């Protein structure tokens, strides 16, 4: 399965929001690291935004799953008798957004720790 197909299967609204948060997390990481590494600014302003954007990506993914499951259960209730294979397929699709969000969350943790440790190291040298 291609990644673009997974993107659309997960719902373009939530997947776009998660992608935006992931890129914002990467932008803040690069900006913070460049400030610390080149300008030797150790105030740490903005470093916590790295973990915040990663966490929001995961939470938005969970929200997308909850809304999708709510709609799916409504459709199951309206249809009546549904095969277990159909339910399993729906559950598989519902896991796309949280997995995509947790991907960015997992990336944000080590990035945040690297920038934070660099700030601590520079502030001890000062």
């Amino acid at each position: 399965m291609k990644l673009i197909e997974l993107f659309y299967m997960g719902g373009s609204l939530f997947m776009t929001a998660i992608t935006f948060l992931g890129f914002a997390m990467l932008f803040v990481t690069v900006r913070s690291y460049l400030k610390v590494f080149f300008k030797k600014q150790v105030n740490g302003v903005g470093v916590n935004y790295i973990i915040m954007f990663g966490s929001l990506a995961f939470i938005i993914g969970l929200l997308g799953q909850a809304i999708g499951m709510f709609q799916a259960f409504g459709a199951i209730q309206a249809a009546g008798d549904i095969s277990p294979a159909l339910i399993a397929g729906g559950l598989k699709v519902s896991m796309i957004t949280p997995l995509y969000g947790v991907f960015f969350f997992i990336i944000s943790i080590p990035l945040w720790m690297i920038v934070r440790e660099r700030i601590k190291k520079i502030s001890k040298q000062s």
Side-chain angles (χ1 to χ4, degrees):
M1 191 172 302
K2 295 180 182 179
L3 290 177
I4 195 76
E5 290 174 8
L6 286 173
F7 187 88
Y8 288 114
M9 282 176 62
S12 59
L13 175 67
F14 286 101
M15 297 296 274
T16 302
I18 294 169
T19 302
F20 175 76
L21 289 168
F23 284 133
M25 179 259 309
L26 292 173
F27 174 76
V28 170
T29 300
V30 169
R31 189 187 68 172
S32 298
Y33 193 77
L34 290 176
K35 278 184 180 181
V36 170
F37 189 72
F38 290 115
K39 296 181 182 178
K40 305 291 187 202
Q41 293 178 352
V42 294
N43 59 4
V45 174
V47 174
N48 289 333
Y49 288 120
I50 298 169
I51 201 103
M52 183 198 72
F53 284 130
S55 300
L56 280 174
F58 179 53
I59 291 169
I60 294 294
L62 289 176
L63 178 65
Q65 180 185 26
I67 291 172
M69 294 294 290
F70 184 79
Q71 292 172 342
F73 288 138
I76 290 170
Q77 182 181 15
D81 190 27
I82 301 291
S83 72
L86 189 61
I87 293 173
L91 290 174
K92 183 177 94 173
V93 169
S94 78
M95 292 302 296
I96 294 172
T97 54
L99 287 173
Y100 192 54
V102 82
F103 168 75
F104 284 114
F105 180 62
I106 288 171
I107 289 173
S108 72
I109 293 170
L111 291 176
W112 172 72
M113 290 174 63
I114 289 168
V115 174
R116 190 184 59 154
E117 290 301 316
R118 182 75 178 157
I119 288 173
K120 284 182 181 180
K121 186 176 180 182
I122 290 175
S123 65
K124 286 181 183 178
Q125 291 174 354
S126 298

